[in-house]
Amino acid sequence: MRSRRRKLSPFICGGSNATSGAVRIARAYTGRDRIIKCGYHGWHDWTRPGNPGVPESVCALTSTIDYGDLDQLEDQLKESNGRTACVFLETIQQGGLLEGYLEGCVGLAQDYGALCVFDETKVGFRVALGGAGDHFGVTPDISTFGKAISNGYAGSFLVGKQEILRSAETRSTWMTATFQSDLLILTAIRTTLSELQRKKGIAYQWRLGDRLITGLNDAFGRVGLSYKLVGCGPMPSPTVDDTDRDRCFKILERCLGLGHYLHPTHPWFLSLTHTEEDIDGTVQAVDEVLRS
Ligand SMILES: Cc1ncc(COP(=O)(O)O)c(C=O)c1O
């Protein structure tokens, strides 16, 4: 008898739907229910344990680990006693590209029979086309992408190992909706990808981002303030010591008055629309505010 094939569309709408799709697949494939998560993965119930409106029974299935701590991950995998379906990981956090961490997560998940999912929603098509996994040459079981891939449209998608995505367990789950594989979104994804390739967009974002990091860090450093951009060129991340946090934020507010919006805490993102003049103009504006 032919097995009933249900529809699994890898092209989704919005990052949260892609991450929840990956969780559904991991649970279907492994037959397990627990999730160990690390980072932000959207607004759906499984990833918001403790939030008002999320049932206790759902909260109990998700635990959280700190980025960069492999011992903590192993402790939780042990503790869950064979019930972890997947380790869900936002690949770059706190501005860092931690050498060896992603590989460690994949290895530990495998040791405990769980899948490892890379959430590349912020990182994909910026640091490398395939995100941090691509940048480091580490292959997870499933990866999710969104944001930059459709250049302002709602595109997202997931990819994964064939043996997982084509397994009977995965195919027997339900993962489709009216606006999945929407033609407008697919066109946006295709166009964005070809523009990124044609204009060597990844290298461009690195080059401009590195220029911004160096320029701003030099400017803040010259006046002895601790505000600093860390991390990688395409998505620099601001850090500041508590001691001069308020002063630095006031400086950034003054920059906003000059037309330069520099978020005080959230990672920044470069794009192909930015030019060298934009970067130099930003550094110059910060420099002027600092001098005054
Ligand atoms: C790493 C990561 N995963 C998932 C999401 C959720 O994406 P969306 O807001 O499109 O649902 C976000 C959104 O900021 C994100 O940064």
Side-chain angles (χ1 to χ4, degrees):
M1 203 174 85
R2 271 184 68 205
S3 66
R4 262 196 322 155
R5 281 189 186 171
R6 296 220 182 116
K7 219 172 159 193
L8 186 139
S9 163
F11 288 101
I12 308 161
C13 234
S16 300
N17 286 334
T19 57
S20 290
V23 162
R24 172 75 57 82
I25 290 170
R27 283 179 167 152
Y29 184 73
T30 60
R32 299 171 172 194
D33 55 2
R34 297 241 173 126
I35 310 296
I36 300 175
K37 77 172 205 78
C38 180
Y40 179 76
H41 310 294
W43 68 277
H44 292 177
D45 282 1
W46 71 271
T47 187
R48 311 297 313 165
N51 267 199
V54 179
E56 253 317 298
S57 54
V58 175
C59 297
L61 297 178
T62 300
S63 61
T64 303
I65 51 167
D66 298 319
Y67 188 66
D69 191 340
L70 286 174
D71 292 337
Q72 201 187 19
L73 171 58
E74 181 149 31
D75 287 346
Q76 291 205 11
L77 281 163
K78 259 189 213 145
E79 221 170 85
S80 83
N81 201 16
R83 281 184 64 183
T84 301
C86 66
V87 176
F88 216 105
L89 181 71
E90 189 182 346
T91 49
I92 295 183
Q93 294 177 44
Q94 298 150 8
L97 281 163
L98 284 185
E99 202 71 44
Y101 181 60
L102 299 183
E103 215 165 1
C105 290
V106 172
L108 278 174
Q110 198 173 35
D111 290 347
Y112 288 84
L115 303 187
C116 189
V117 183
F118 284 179
D119 182 350
E120 306 271 21
T121 308
K122 280 212 270 288
V123 180
F125 305 94
R126 299 190 204 272
V127 170
L129 290 178
D134 184 8
H135 181 82
F136 283 117
V138 182
T139 308
D141 296 293
I142 299 173
S143 295
T144 65
F145 295 88
K147 296 188 189 279
I149 185 48
S150 52
N151 194 32
Y153 287 83
S156 67
F157 64 91
L158 60 82
V159 293
K161 292 183 175 164
Q162 279 196 15
E163 73 246 35
I164 297 167
L165 297 191
R166 293 194 176 166
S167 69
E169 295 84 358
T170 300
R171 282 175 167 202
S172 66
T173 193
W174 186 260
M175 220 187 93
T176 189
T178 308
F179 288 110
Q180 279 178 212
S181 299
D182 173 68
L183 265 187
L184 183 64
I185 287 174
L186 292 181
T187 306
I189 290 177
R190 189 176 180 168
T191 309
T192 307
L193 185 55
S194 79
E195 283 295 281
L196 275 173
Q197 285 171 325
R198 192 174 66 80
K199 295 181 176 166
K200 300 190 174 20
I202 302 295
Y204 186 79
Q205 292 175 82
W206 273 94
R207 190 164 57 75
L208 256 59
D210 285 343
R211 192 178 178 107
L212 182 65
I213 292 174
T214 306
L216 285 193
N217 288 352
D218 284 353
F220 277 98
R222 272 196 296 275
V223 294
L225 284 173
S226 66
Y227 193 84
K228 198 167 182 228
L229 293 177
V230 296
C232 46
M235 41 185 293
S237 222
T239 59
V240 65
D241 293 346
D242 283 345
T243 43
D244 49 20
R245 192 183 161 94
D246 290 347
R247 266 180 85 199
C248 289
F249 286 7
K250 282 214 168 72
I251 288 161
L252 298 181
E253 227 174 277
R254 293 263 309 269
C255 293
L256 185 59
L258 297 176
H260 297 271
Y261 177 43
L262 307 172
H263 198 286
T265 52
H266 194 276
W268 304 355
F269 301 105
L270 274 290
S271 84
L272 292 195
T273 317
H274 290 120
T275 61
E276 281 188 6
E277 291 74 43
D278 291 329
I279 302 301
D280 295 346
T282 304
V283 173
Q284 202 182 336
V286 170
D287 211 31
E288 277 166 22
V289 173
L290 285 169
R291 281 171 204 278
S292 70

